[in-house]
Amino acid sequence: MSDRSLSPTFPPKLALYFSPKACSLASHIALEESGIAYEAVSVNIRNQENRNAEYLRLNSGGTVPTLAIDGQPLTESQAILTYIADLVPERQLMPRPGTLARARAHEWMNLISSSLHVSYRSIFRPQTYGGEDQAAMAQVQQQGGKNLAKYLSLIESRLDPANTYATGETFTVVDAYLFVFYLWSYDERIHCELPERPRYRALAERIAARPAVQKVVGRERTVRAYDLPDHILLDKVTA
Ligand SMILES: N[C@@H](CCC(=O)N[C@@H](CS)C(=O)NCC(=O)O)C(=O)O
């Protein structure tokens, strides 16, 4: 049974609170791919807009993404991505519940959220784990770099080159989520050696070519004109 039959109104009124090139980009892409109407509300974390009282009332953790569903805030990328996918089962943005493929999609998303994202956070925001002590922060960053290299290698080894997308022949929210952290691997704040990742690169290039991805990245870059790796060709996109 799809959530559609349980929802008081379909489609629900959706508003996504995102920050450009943050992990919220995955939810932003998923919404665009869903075909459901939504409002995209920018909360630029670089300007601390996520710390204003109005946003904290919606999400007391002050993080993006937040998806407001008929006014009810839902946080955590994995929950949001799964929710969006389940709204439109015909789009196959997640495999059907009760299948091994569905469990695999969650396996991917948990790995991304709990390990890959956390490795980046150690590098970009070492104070999260090291406090304000400079030496502790440097150590967190160094370990974060090692962890990032390890998880990028793991992802590379788990991507099957016979598949078009991460979980098979169909684009899913897992791809949207992987796309974000591929872009991050080219961030100028990363100074450690990272492993070659040709499968991940090929996947990211395929994802970037999707019209929904082009549209969302274009929209986000009007809020903040972020850099992209040279080989991610968003030719229809204007910053
Ligand atoms: N586990 C959360 C993490 C959310 C998160 O850390 N978001 C970052 C952006 S990628 C953020 O909002 N950072 C701003 C802050 O923590 O102040 C998820 O997957 O949605």
Side-chain angles (χ1 to χ4, degrees):
M1 183 168 43
S2 112
D3 268 354
R4 210 167 276 195
S5 56
L6 303 173
S7 179
T9 56
F10 185 87
K13 191 169 180 296
L14 299 176
L16 177 72
Y17 294 79
F18 75 95
S19 182
K21 209 183 173 183
C23 55
S24 50
L25 173 58
S27 299
H28 204 167
I29 292 170
L31 276 173
E32 195 62 41
E33 292 276 358
S34 77
I36 297 178
Y38 65 97
E39 185 189 358
V41 185
S42 147
V43 182
N44 194 340
I45 59 177
R46 298 220 177 180
N47 300 342
Q48 303 268 307
E49 289 170 13
N50 55 323
R51 296 286 151 202
N52 72 36
E54 194 188 344
Y55 189 64
L56 290 173
R57 265 197 299 280
L58 187 73
N59 174 352
S60 56
T63 54
V64 290
T66 302
L67 181 67
I69 306 160
D70 290 330
Q72 298 293 318
L74 179 66
T75 62
E76 294 298 324
S77 297
Q78 186 172 175
I80 293 171
L81 292 169
T82 304
Y83 174 81
I84 294 167
D86 284 346
L87 283 178
V88 283
E90 68 279 10
R91 299 238 171 179
Q92 297 182 294
L93 293 174
M94 279 275 279
R96 275 188 304 109
T99 61
L100 177 58
R102 174 86 170 197
R104 286 262 175 261
H106 281 299
E107 184 182 41
W108 270 112
M109 290 195 285
N110 260 311
L111 174 67
I112 296 167
S113 164
S114 68
S115 304
L116 188 60
H117 190 174
V118 169
S119 306
Y120 282 113
R121 193 182 289 131
S122 304
I123 298 170
F124 299 157
R125 293 171 178 258
Q127 63 277 24
T128 310
Y129 306 115
E132 294 305 324
D133 180 76
Q134 292 296 327
M137 276 199 267
Q139 206 161 3
V140 166
Q141 273 179 320
Q142 199 183 25
Q143 187 58 44
K146 287 183 191 162
N147 291 344
L148 178 58
K150 179 175 90 179
Y151 291 119
L152 288 175
S153 293
L154 184 65
I155 284 170
E156 185 70 12
S157 69
R158 288 193 182 175
L159 288 172
D160 182 343
N163 287 343
T164 307
Y165 292 107
T167 62
E169 286 313 297
T170 311
F171 173 89
T172 69
V173 293
V174 171
D175 299 297
Y177 207 12
L178 279 169
F179 183 66
V180 177
F181 297 106
Y182 181 80
L183 297 186
W184 285 18
S185 70
Y186 288 85
D187 193 285
E188 62 197 12
R189 292 168 290 178
I190 295 174
H191 302 297
C192 58
E193 188 93 8
L194 295 180
E196 294 291 314
R197 39 201 185 285
R199 295 178 187 178
Y200 201 178
R201 173 181 169 146
L203 174 68
E205 288 173 358
R206 277 194 290 276
I207 296 168
R210 295 178 68 83
V213 177
Q214 303 255 335
K215 187 170 173 186
V216 165
V217 172
R219 179 186 296 142
E220 289 205 350
R221 290 171 99 208
T222 62
V223 178
R224 183 173 74 78
Y226 54 71
D227 288 339
L228 296 165
D230 291 343
H231 56 276
I232 295 295
L233 298 175
L234 294 173
D235 46 46
K236 297 180 204 98
V237 162
T238 45

